[in-house]
Structure formats: C-alpha cells, structure tokens
C-alpha cells in the first residue's frame, strides 16, 4: 500500500506482494545470452564471416555390430554324429588283434599247443624261405606286435598293413603245399580264415581305429584318407616281396 507521508512511494517494509506491478517491471535476462548458447563457434564461419551452411561433425558415433555368427561365405561345419561306429571298430580291433596275439605267442613261446620257434622255423624251411631262423623270430614277433598295436589302436594303419602282409604269405604258403583253389577252412589247405583276417585288416586300414583308441584324438584316426591307401599298398607290397624275394 502507498504511504501518504512519502508521496505515494511504497513502503519498503511492506511486502512486495502489496504492489504486484513491482514484479512485472523487473528486467528479465534473455534466454540466449550470446552466440555460444546457439552452439556457434569460429569453425562454423567461412572466410567471409558468415556462417557456413553446413559444419562437419567433430566426431562419429560408433555403433557396435550386432552379436551373431559372422558370414564367411563358407557353409557351416556340422559335427557328424558317429553313433555306435567307434564301438563297432573297437570290437573289430579287439577280435582281430586278439587272434594275432594268440598266434604270435603260439609261434614265439609255444603257448596253447603252438609249435614254438623251433617248430615254426622248421615250417618256414620246408616252405623254401631263406634264413628261416631269423625269419621265424621276425614273423612271430611281428605278428604279436601287430596284434597288440591293433588292440590298443596305436599306429593302426601300419599294424593292419603288417597283418595284411603276414596273411598274404600264409595264403600263398597253403597254396604252395597243395596247388589248386581250396577255400573252406574244413579243407587241409583252405584259406577261408586267412581271407577273413585280410579283409578285416584292410577294413581297419581304411577306416582307422575310431575314437576309442590311443590314436583316437588324432584326425586321421576317424577320417583317414591318402595315408590309409599308402599304408595298405605298403602292406600288400611287403607281403608279395617277402614271398618272391624271401624264398
């Protein structure tokens, strides 16, 4: 309220709300004090002093790529399920390797009614082999070692190739005793049993020992290719050369 004694001036001790016009007459600063508030800087001006129509951004926003498989242009690798394949190869290895171990011990130490080294040496001499005393030890020990390696699944292609070489000589030896094709095991010189062992050894050379083997973690043990063919050819060549040049 105005004070009559002061000539109409408002009383300083009164509340500002007594004269609402006081608040309306206050100067309010502009909301944009300077060009800085507009985001302008010297880089946005061209040589003439006027603002450029476009100012290049000072930085780029990096957007990370979405997580997911990267397209390499190659088909995805699918791990094949082997099922009972490894178990079947283990059974085959144990059967063939076990038979070779038994035959090797029969020839080497005469177990289970075997001929022993002396009897085996005499058989080789009658078959016409040269150095039958050395060949008897090498053949008996090789048969035993090949069977043991096959059971363990260690160096399977070489072990199976050695069995192929041994069985080739066994078949040719029986054919030498009595010429003519006598296949069935019921006949005296039938090679049915030896042919079955050769087929099993060839199969193991081409398939590998499977994962349930000492060499199981190696790639060639489950997916053999050229190395198996080479080992098989070496086994066949060794058997034929032994028959031709060892007699």
């Amino acid at each position: 309220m105005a004070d009559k004694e002061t000539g109409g001036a408002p009383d300083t001790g009164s509340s500002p709300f007594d004269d609402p016009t006081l608040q309306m007459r206050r100067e309010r600063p502009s909301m944009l004090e300077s060009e800085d508030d507009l985001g302008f800087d010297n880089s946005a001006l061209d040589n003439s002093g006027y603002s450029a129509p476009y100012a290049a951004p000072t930085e780029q926003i990096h957007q990370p790529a979405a997580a997911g498989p990267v397209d390499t242009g190659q088909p995805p690798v699918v791990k094949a399920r082997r099922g009972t394949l490894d178990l079947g190869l283990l059974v085959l290895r144990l059967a063939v390797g076990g038979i070779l171990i038994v035959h090797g011990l029969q020839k080497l130490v005469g177990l289970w009614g075997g001929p022993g080294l002396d009897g085996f040496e005499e058989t080789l001499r009658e078959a016409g082999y040269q150095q039958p005393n050395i060949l008897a030890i090498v053949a008996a020990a090789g048969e035993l070692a090949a069977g043991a390696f096959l059971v363990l699944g260690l160096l399977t292609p070489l072990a199976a190739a050695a069995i192929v070489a041994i069985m080739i000589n066994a078949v040719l030896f029986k054919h030498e005793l009595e010429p003519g094709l006598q296949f069935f095991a019921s006949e005296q010189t039938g090679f049915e049993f030896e042919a079955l062992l050769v087929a099993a050894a060839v199969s193991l050379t081409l398939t590998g020992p499977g994962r349930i083997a000492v060499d199981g973690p190696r790639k060639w043990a489950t997916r053999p290719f050229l190395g198996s063919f080479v080992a098989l050819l070496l086994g066949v060549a060794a058997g034929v050369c032994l028959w031709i040049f060892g007699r």
Side-chain angles (χ1 to χ4, degrees):
M1 297 295 293
D3 191 356
K4 294 179 180 182
E5 296 180 358
T6 59
D11 187 5
T12 57
S14 63
S15 172
F17 293 102
D18 293 339
D19 189 359
T21 60
L22 293 177
Q23 298 296 328
M24 299 298 295
R25 290 195 297 268
R26 292 182 60 187
E27 294 183 0
R28 302 179 64 182
S30 174
M31 295 185 65
L32 300 177
E33 296 283 346
S34 64
E35 292 179 349
D36 293 337
D37 294 331
L38 295 176
F40 295 144
D41 54 9
N42 294 332
S43 62
L45 300 177
D46 58 9
N47 296 331
S48 64
Y50 295 98
S51 60
Y54 174 78
T58 57
E59 64 180 23
Q60 296 180 353
I61 299 177
H62 173 69
Q63 296 181 354
V70 179
D71 187 8
T72 60
Q74 299 292 334
V77 178
V78 180
K79 188 175 182 180
R81 296 182 179 181
R82 295 174 62 85
T84 58
L85 177 61
D86 298 312
L87 182 59
L89 290 174
L90 174 62
V91 173
L92 183 59
R93 283 180 15 237
L94 292 178
V96 178
I99 291 173
L100 268 293
I101 290 175
V102 171
H103 286 189
L105 291 175
Q106 282 183 318
K107 297 179 178 68
L108 195 62
V109 295
L111 291 179
W112 300 296
L117 277 178
D118 294 337
F120 187 42
E121 178 183 345
E122 183 64 26
T123 301
L124 293 177
R125 183 177 289 108
E126 293 177 356
Y129 284 97
Q130 302 176 9
Q131 304 295 331
N133 53 343
I134 299 177
L135 186 58
I137 298 175
V138 172
E143 202 168 10
L144 178 62
F149 277 38
L150 205 60
V151 169
L152 296 175
L154 179 61
L155 300 177
T156 305
L158 297 179
I163 295 173
V164 171
I166 293 172
M167 291 300 111
I168 286 177
N169 278 263
V171 172
L172 294 176
F173 172 70
K174 286 190 173 183
H175 180 74
E176 180 79 6
L177 290 178
E178 187 174 346
L181 182 60
Q182 298 181 7
F183 176 76
F184 297 103
S186 57
E187 301 174 349
Q188 184 178 1
T189 58
F191 57 92
E192 180 181 11
F193 175 70
E194 288 78 5
L196 182 60
L197 290 179
V198 168
V202 170
S203 300
L204 288 172
T205 304
L206 298 178
T207 60
R211 293 179 179 174
I212 310 176
V214 176
D215 290 334
R218 299 183 180 181
K219 185 177 180 180
W220 61 264
T222 54
R223 301 188 65 179
F225 187 49
L226 293 178
S228 297
F229 284 106
V230 173
L232 181 58
L233 292 177
L234 288 177
V236 173
V240 174
C241 289
L242 179 60
W243 177 258
I244 296 174
F245 302 106
R247 303 171 65 251

